[in-house]
Amino acid sequence: MFLEKIKHIKAFILDVDGVLTDGTVLVTETGEQHRRFSIKDGYALQLAVKRGYQVIVLSGGRSKGIELRLKGLGISEVYLGLDSKVETYHNFLKNSGCSTEQVLYMGDDIPDLQVIKLAGLAVCPADAVEEIKSICDYISPKKGGDGCVRDVIEKVLKIQGNWFDESPSAHDGSLN
């Protein structure tokens, strides 16, 4: 069933903290918040964008660093400071032309619970909370911020014949 669902995916909708990061927020004395992203996840994300998949990021967080990192990978649909991920999900479906069956959602915690139930393919990292794990079609063996996004995107692109890149980019989306 999981492999059959993968064949239809055209969009990846991802949470940030606990999925694209390990969920740790380092706060400096000046109040700046720092998160750690995986370069391997970044490669898969930019390749998915390059291959024409829609990549959408939803988060309750508001850090400018999140937006800069994701925009650097070519992701233009980054929604931060959300109170309702469900509303943004429905707006995406309405405006994108994608059907529910074409959407993969990856989340890890209670704020993802309602929206992950709506996706055609529900996935989570290995360290997601039990309430999320119990409703997912696939649980990555990788933890949040440690390659779980790469794991999922790679599976989709490989099954759909879109993984290998004859001229891979070494650009990692960083500002330097």
Side-chain angles (χ1 to χ4, degrees):
M1 181 96 161
F2 169 66
L3 293 177
E4 187 58 38
K5 287 183 176 186
I6 281 181
K7 293 177 184 176
H8 304 288
I9 298 303
K10 292 185 178 182
F12 299 96
I13 302 182
L14 309 166
D15 177 40
V16 175
D17 292 320
V19 172
L20 287 166
T21 76
D22 66 4
T24 301
V25 178
L26 302 172
V27 182
T28 68
E29 293 295 323
T30 61
E32 291 179 282
Q33 296 184 2
H34 299 275
R35 290 165 171 86
R36 183 180 67 91
F37 289 83
S38 165
I39 292 295
K40 290 181 180 177
D41 286 347
Y43 175 77
L45 286 163
Q46 65 81 31
L47 182 60
V49 170
K50 184 177 176 181
R51 294 284 192 243
Y53 293 85
Q54 295 184 65
V55 178
I56 300 88
V57 176
L58 310 179
S59 179
R62 301 175 192 272
S63 171
K64 186 70 174 166
I66 295 169
E67 187 173 11
L68 289 172
R69 170 69 180 148
L70 297 172
K71 299 263 183 194
L73 294 170
I75 301 168
S76 58
E77 293 191 63
V78 178
Y79 302 95
L80 304 177
L82 295 177
D83 290 326
S84 172
K85 292 181 179 184
V86 171
E87 181 180 339
T88 305
Y89 175 83
H90 284 304
N91 287 336
F92 166 74
L93 285 181
K94 185 173 76 175
N95 297 322
S96 70
C98 280
S99 67
T100 299
E101 295 76 26
Q102 296 171 317
V103 176
L104 177 151
Y105 186 91
M106 185 173 226
D108 72 305
D109 208 346
I110 301 302
D112 300 303
L113 191 61
Q114 295 306 312
V115 70
I116 205 167
K117 290 178 182 179
L118 301 172
L121 184 58
V123 301
C124 68
D127 56 347
V129 299
E130 289 306 315
E131 293 87 347
I132 296 295
K133 287 180 175 180
S134 70
I135 61 171
C136 281
D137 299 299
Y138 175 74
I139 300 170
S140 174
K142 304 285 189 177
K143 292 181 178 180
D146 195 29
C148 66
V149 173
R150 163 77 177 250
D151 172 51
V152 170
I153 291 175
E154 185 174 339
K155 280 179 177 28
V156 171
L157 272 62
K158 278 184 174 178
I159 286 173
Q160 294 183 8
N162 291 322
W163 177 250
F164 186 72
D165 190 351
E166 293 192 26
S167 58
S169 172
H171 178 67
D172 66 1
S174 66
L175 300 175
N176 296 329

